[in-house]
């Protein structure tokens, strides 16, 4: 008789079962309710199919819909496979490639036989998906040899899958999943027990786009179908409402209505800021500069273009070169004959970040331990060579300005400096209207510089600082992220939650022992010897462009009055009030309020609608009565009622609202 396996459950009990027993069978033995609810299993912490046999002693926990993160990952993975099966049923001859789950759904890339897919194809594909779900086909895992798998894909004309299988690492276990007995896909899994375990009313295909095979623009163009998938129709409906609200808040749409900026192909990934948009920028920059001055930062300015040798020394050339704009250091040929560039010159690069230049400033002159901490800040314009397809409004651009700073400090100052940064970031986010954010600690990646001892020390220092700042609890979403640190340092990430529940990673602080070593930065310690400073890379907004985009969407264009490009418009009802309206605008501007005048011969309701669309916070309406009495009828954006105030009271009220929060 085979030796029984000891399976430990979360309640501390141990069940002895025969080898080959599945987690589904253990769930059924515990009770019919759990058997019905269980979606998958965690075996020694690894998420697995509930029908996959156990072959050794293990810690076992059963995953249900209450374990939402794992459950959503599973159902979205299943929806992606069901999508692929449905597409091949509706469009025979289509090749399948790759289809992962995403943060809110799934996608799959296809090589259509005859033509690219369009959004008009989605209803038929959705119908086919629901038929597959209704058939409740078992999802069955098998391990195949590389040779058999390549032969299968080749025989079926699946050239992309065959290439994928051939390129997987030697020794890796290759698994496929059958849907029933008719259709299979190569996949690591895990999956639910059958297609019927997903809710046929809890998914929706959303759009079709182009995508290159393996993300390389030199490869074949594929059709990517996106979908969103959830555990229930209620969750799907809530998500679709959020999408609808997000579309209304799209920063590109609102920016056009408010005349803030535009983008065009002549400068891919760079922003043309219009006067009103640049007012928002300048107000935000001035606010940040005051906060940094108060916090003891010293502002610097560093070059845009630096020799490639500097980037080689810093380590960025090897790790980051594909994202850098490289420039030859030569005068181009101006003659009609011959190449413009010789190809023999030394190389330079536009800076993708400010850090190496700040080390070079630190190295000027001899630094003492008494000079530390030294906090160098820069609103530094940087360039990163993002693919055209990855660009998105002002959220992802090629030219951007960071609210960057680097703190050079001694080891004994690390925890205090990070604690002070956490407090500074907290006040700024709250001033800008973000009450909720989460803090994540990104730990050492697989490929990294530095010793294990260095990484141990750096990671623990960040943990200690967050704890001392009182922000390591669940209310701050504290979480550690294995493998997600930078190649030179662990980092704290600060994830904002906006008005409709989306999260945005903006702030960061990275604890770096490596760059000061590579660029030979040092200070003279109390012992008279040279020591390496620790370098803290930190940003709060991240980049001005992206953060302004987030602000636009968070506030739906209705900026706080102090940030609004136009804070008030004075609009006349009749031309008899024109002179009074001009006087009102002059007095508002004299009080520091950004005011505009609307004397057009239009009905007041038309003016109200137009200025509401432009998101002007306050509209001051004046007619003959207001001119005679020295009053204004003040309307607040989004409200129907208006308040009649004396001009002096209106100016006092507006001046208070127009004062930045740090100056109140």
């Amino acid at each position: 008789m085979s030796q029984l396996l000891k399976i430990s459950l979360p309640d501390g009990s141990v069940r002895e079962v025969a080898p080959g027993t599945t987690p589904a069978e253990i769930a059924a033995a515990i009770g019919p309710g759990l058997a019905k609810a269980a979606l998958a299993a965690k075996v020694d912490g690894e998420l697995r199919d509930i029908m996959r046999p156990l072959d050794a002693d293990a810690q076992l926990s059963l995953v249900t819909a209450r374990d939402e993160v794992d459950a959503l990952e599973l159902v979205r993975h299943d929806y992606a496979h069901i999508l692929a099966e449905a597409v091949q049923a509706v469009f025979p001859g289509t090749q399948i490639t790759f289809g992962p789950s995403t943060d809110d759904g799934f996608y799959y890339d296809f090589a259509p036989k005859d033509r690219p897919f369009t959004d008009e194809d989605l209803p038929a594909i959705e119908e086919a998906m629901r038929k597959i779900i209704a058939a409740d086909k078992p999802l069955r895992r098998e391990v195949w040899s590389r040779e058999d798998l390549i032969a299968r894909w080749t025989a079926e004309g699946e050239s992309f899958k065959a290439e994928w299988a051939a390129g997987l690492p030697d020794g890796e276990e290759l698994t496929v999943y059958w849907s029933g007995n008719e259709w299979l896909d190569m996949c690591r899994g895990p999956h639910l027990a059958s297609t019927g375990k997903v809710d046929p009313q809890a998914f929706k295909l959303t759009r079709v786009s182009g995508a290159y095979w393996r993300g390389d623009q030199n490869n074949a163009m594929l059709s990517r179908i996106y979908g969103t998938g959830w555990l229930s129709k209620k969750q799907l409906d809530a998500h679709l409402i959020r999408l609808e609200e997000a579309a209304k808040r799209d920063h590109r749409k609102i920016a056009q209505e408010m005349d803030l900026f535009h983008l065009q192909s002549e400068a891919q990934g760079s922003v043309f800021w219009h006067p009103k948009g640049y007012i928002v920028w300048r107000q935000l920059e001035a606010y940040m500069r005051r906060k940094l001055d108060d916090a003891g930062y010293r502002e610097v300015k560093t070059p845009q273009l630096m020799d490639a040798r500097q980037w080689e020394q810093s380590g960025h050339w090897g790790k980051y070169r594909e994202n850098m704009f490289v420039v030859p250091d030569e005068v181009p040929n101006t003659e009609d004959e011959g190449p413009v560039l010789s190809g023999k010159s030394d190389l330079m690069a536009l800076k993708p970040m400010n850090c190496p230049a700040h080390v070079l400033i630190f190295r000027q002159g001899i630094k003492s331990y008494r000079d530390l901490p030294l906090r160098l800040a820069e609103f530094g314009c940087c360039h990163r060579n993002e693919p055209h397809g990855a660009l998105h409004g002002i959220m992802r651009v090629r030219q951007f300005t960071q609210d960057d700073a680097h703190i050079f400090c001694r080891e004994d100052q690390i925890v205090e400096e990070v604690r002070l940064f956490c407090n500074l970031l907290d006040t700024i986010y709250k001033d800008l209207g973000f009450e909720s954010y989460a803090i994540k600690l990104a730990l050492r990646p697989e490929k990294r510089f530095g010793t294990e001892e260095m990484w141990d020390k750096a990671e623990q220092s960040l943990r200690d600082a967050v704890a001392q700042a009182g922000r390591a609890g669940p209310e701050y979403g504290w979480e550690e992220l294995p493998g997600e640190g930078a190649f030179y340092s662990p980092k704290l990430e600060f994830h904002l939650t906006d008005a409709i529940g989306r999260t945005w990673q903006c702030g960061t602080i990275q604890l770096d022992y490596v760059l000061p070593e590579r660029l030979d930065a040092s200070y003279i310690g109390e012992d008279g010897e040279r020591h390496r400073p620790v370098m803290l890379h930190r940003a709060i907004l991240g980049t001005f462009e992206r953060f302004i985009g987030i602000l636009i969407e968070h506030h739906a264009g209705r900026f706080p009055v102090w940030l609004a490009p136009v804070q008030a418009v004075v609009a006349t009802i009749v031309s008899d009030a024109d002179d009074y309206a001009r006087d009102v605008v002059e007095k508002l501007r004299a009080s520091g309020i950004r005011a505009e005048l609307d004397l057009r011969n239009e009905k007041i309701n038309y003016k109200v609608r137009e200025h509401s669309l432009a998101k002007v916070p306050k509209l001051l309406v004046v007619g003959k009565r207001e001119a005679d009495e020295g009053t204004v009828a003040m309307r607040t954006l989004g409200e129907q009622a208006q308040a009649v105030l004396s001009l002096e009271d209106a100016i006092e009220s507006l001046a208070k609202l127009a004062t930045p929060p740090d100056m109140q």
Side-chain angles (χ1 to χ4, degrees):
M1 181 176 176
S2 300
Q3 186 175 355
L4 296 178
L5 305 179
K6 290 182 170 59
I7 306 301
S8 303
L9 300 175
D11 64 1
S13 64
V14 177
R15 288 184 175 250
E16 294 189 342
V17 301
T21 301
T22 67
E25 289 169 331
I26 294 176
I30 295 172
L34 183 58
K36 184 178 181 181
L39 300 174
K42 278 196 170 177
V43 179
D44 293 332
E46 178 190 358
L47 194 62
R48 287 191 182 182
D49 308 324
I50 201 165
M51 302 302 292
R52 183 172 169 183
L54 298 163
D55 55 10
D57 295 347
Q59 297 276 345
L60 173 69
S61 59
L62 295 164
V63 175
T64 70
R66 291 184 178 182
D67 306 299
E68 190 166 292
V69 172
D70 288 329
L72 281 170
E73 175 79 14
L74 284 161
V75 300
R76 288 167 178 166
H77 199 171
D78 279 23
Y79 280 129
H81 278 248
I82 293 167
L83 165 62
E85 184 178 357
V87 166
Q88 289 198 311
V90 177
F91 299 98
T94 298
Q95 289 192 61
I96 55 175
T97 66
F98 175 68
S101 60
T102 64
D103 288 342
D104 63 1
F106 54 94
Y107 69 80
Y108 210 109
D109 290 345
F110 301 95
K113 180 182 178 183
D114 300 316
R115 60 168 177 81
F117 297 139
T118 68
D119 289 349
E120 286 69 37
D121 297 319
L122 299 184
I125 298 170
E126 283 186 352
E127 183 180 351
M129 288 177 69
R130 292 193 172 94
K131 287 180 180 177
I132 294 168
I133 294 169
D136 197 19
K137 299 181 179 185
L139 297 172
R140 180 166 46 88
R141 178 181 184 270
E142 287 183 354
V143 179
W144 285 35
S145 71
R146 181 187 306 272
E147 294 73 19
D148 287 347
L149 195 49
I150 293 172
R152 167 84 183 215
W153 292 134
T154 303
E156 294 190 352
E158 296 281 6
S159 60
F160 294 95
K161 283 290 190 185
E163 179 185 330
W164 196 307
L168 290 172
D170 291 338
E172 181 171 332
E173 185 178 66
L174 303 184
T175 55
V176 302
Y177 278 81
W178 286 92
S179 174
N181 296 313
E182 308 86 29
W183 189 87
L184 85 163
D185 196 0
M186 181 169 64
C187 180
R188 289 190 181 94
H191 281 281
L192 300 177
S194 66
T195 60
K197 294 292 185 182
V198 299
D199 187 335
Q201 302 304 319
F203 80 92
K204 181 175 178 58
L205 301 183
T206 53
R207 62 188 174 95
V208 179
S209 73
Y212 292 109
W213 168 236
R214 291 187 162 180
D216 187 337
Q217 62 185 2
N218 296 313
N219 289 341
M221 174 64 79
L222 307 172
S223 285
R224 175 172 293 178
I225 298 179
Y226 287 93
T228 184
W230 299 84
L231 298 173
S232 66
K233 186 175 186 300
K234 182 179 179 181
Q235 285 185 338
L236 172 65
D237 290 343
H239 175 70
L240 294 177
I241 290 170
R242 285 195 299 272
L243 288 181
E244 185 179 341
E245 182 62 29
K248 293 177 187 174
R249 292 169 179 260
D250 188 305
H251 69 283
R252 296 163 297 183
K253 171 178 172 289
I254 291 174
Q256 188 172 7
E257 294 168 351
M258 296 180 68
D259 191 24
L260 301 179
F261 63 81
H262 82 276
L263 301 116
Q264 63 186 69
S265 59
E266 284 79 359
Q268 284 277 3
S270 298
V271 186
F272 293 82
W273 289 98
H274 298 189
K276 289 178 180 176
Y278 203 54
I279 286 173
V280 178
W281 178 295
R282 289 175 56 201
Q283 290 300 309
L284 188 60
E285 183 180 54
Y287 164 80
M288 290 299 296
R289 185 168 277 120
R290 292 191 299 270
K291 296 294 284 187
L292 294 178
D293 288 347
D294 289 346
Y297 287 81
R298 302 180 187 181
E299 190 172 346
V300 298
K301 189 75 173 171
T302 59
Q304 288 282 296
L305 201 57
M306 292 171 62
D307 194 292
R309 286 183 285 266
Q310 180 65 38
W311 299 109
E312 288 172 3
Q313 190 177 352
S314 70
H316 292 93
W317 192 251
K319 297 280 185 180
Y320 209 80
R321 186 170 65 245
E322 66 183 25
N323 296 112
M324 298 171 73
F325 285 100
V326 178
V327 181
D329 186 11
E330 68 173 293
V331 177
N333 176 26
T334 58
E335 303 297 328
D336 291 338
E337 300 297 324
V340 175
L341 299 171
S342 69
K344 299 176 182 178
S345 60
D346 290 336
L347 297 178
M348 305 185 77
L350 287 170
K351 65 177 178 180
M353 65 272 296
N354 303 300
C355 0
H358 288 191
V359 178
L360 297 183
I361 290 178
F362 179 86
R363 284 177 47 189
Q364 293 297 301
I366 298 172
K367 300 294 186 297
S368 160
Y369 69 95
R370 296 188 184 91
D371 298 320
L372 306 183
L374 177 61
R375 308 180 187 103
L376 299 181
E378 179 175 11
F379 299 130
C381 181
C382 299
H383 291 78
R384 292 184 187 171
N385 195 356
E386 302 280 5
H388 288 190
L391 303 175
H392 175 65
I394 63 174
M395 298 295 202
R396 190 166 182 181
V397 291
R398 289 173 141 189
Q399 177 185 292
F400 54 89
T401 298
Q402 293 179 310
D403 70 312
D404 204 5
H406 295 91
I407 302 168
F408 298 88
C409 64
R410 307 187 307 266
E411 277 200 278
D412 62 293
Q413 297 171 322
I414 291 172
V415 171
E416 177 63 8
E417 285 302 307
V418 176
R419 185 189 71 81
L420 290 172
F421 170 77
C422 289
N423 291 340
L424 176 63
L425 174 142
D426 185 78
T427 63
I428 288 172
Y429 282 0
K430 286 177 177 165
D431 280 350
L432 295 173
F434 297 95
E435 293 296 325
S436 176
Y437 61 89
I439 306 176
K440 318 285 185 186
L441 174 57
L443 304 172
R444 68 196 75 183
E446 184 178 341
K447 295 182 180 179
R448 56 186 180 269
F449 291 147
T451 65
E452 294 305 296
E453 180 186 7
M454 181 211 81
W455 281 88
D456 289 341
K457 191 163 47 176
E459 290 170 356
Q460 191 56 48
S461 293
L462 293 179
R463 288 188 190 98
D464 293 344
V466 174
Q468 287 196 20
R471 294 184 175 87
E475 68 274 24
Y476 284 95
W478 173 255
E479 184 182 2
E480 297 195 3
L481 307 174
E484 296 195 19
F487 67 87
Y488 52 85
S489 73
K491 58 181 176 176
L492 293 174
E493 299 175 352
F494 297 81
H495 296 250
L496 290 173
T497 300
D498 72 8
I500 58 174
R502 298 172 300 182
T503 58
W504 307 87
Q505 197 259 299
C506 297
T508 184
I509 186 163
Q510 304 171 6
L511 200 168
D512 184 4
Y513 287 95
V514 173
L515 198 59
E517 178 75 32
R518 292 183 71 91
L519 296 183
D520 195 27
S522 65
Y523 68 92
I524 305 301
E526 196 170 2
D527 58 2
E529 300 295 323
R530 291 178 71 222
H531 298 270
R532 296 291 182 210
V534 178
M535 187 175 183
L536 301 175
H537 307 246
R538 47 112 296 179
I540 294 175
L541 306 183
T543 73
F544 274 80
E545 289 80 359
R546 181 168 176 265
F547 200 88
I548 290 173
I550 293 168
L551 278 172
I552 291 170
E553 298 199 1
H554 176 62
H555 294 290
R558 299 180 178 189
F559 290 112
V561 175
W562 71 275
L563 265 180
V566 178
Q567 295 168 325
V569 168
V570 179
T572 53
I573 301 173
V574 292
S575 59
D576 289 354
D578 285 1
D579 288 342
Y580 177 62
R582 292 188 185 96
D583 184 51
V584 170
V585 167
E586 285 182 13
K587 289 179 178 177
L588 288 170
R589 289 174 177 168
S591 299
I593 297 161
R594 294 187 289 277
E596 291 187 351
L597 183 63
D598 187 349
L599 303 179
R600 292 174 300 164
N601 184 24
E602 300 283 358
K603 292 183 178 179
I604 192 60
N605 287 341
Y606 176 86
K607 294 181 180 181
V608 169
R609 284 194 301 273
E610 193 169 67
H611 295 305
S612 295
L613 185 65
K615 309 296 188 295
V616 177
K618 299 289 182 178
L619 183 62
L620 278 56
V621 178
V622 296
K624 191 171 186 310
R625 177 186 296 177
E626 286 77 16
D628 291 342
E629 297 176 356
T631 60
V632 295
M634 190 157 68
R635 291 172 176 257
T636 298
L637 180 63
E639 297 179 7
Q640 294 296 322
Q642 63 182 28
V644 178
L645 304 171
S646 69
L647 179 55
E648 292 74 17
D649 287 347
I651 291 173
E652 182 181 352
S653 171
L654 276 169
K656 186 175 180 180
L657 291 170
T659 303
D662 63 305
M663 299 177 71
Q664 291 180 2

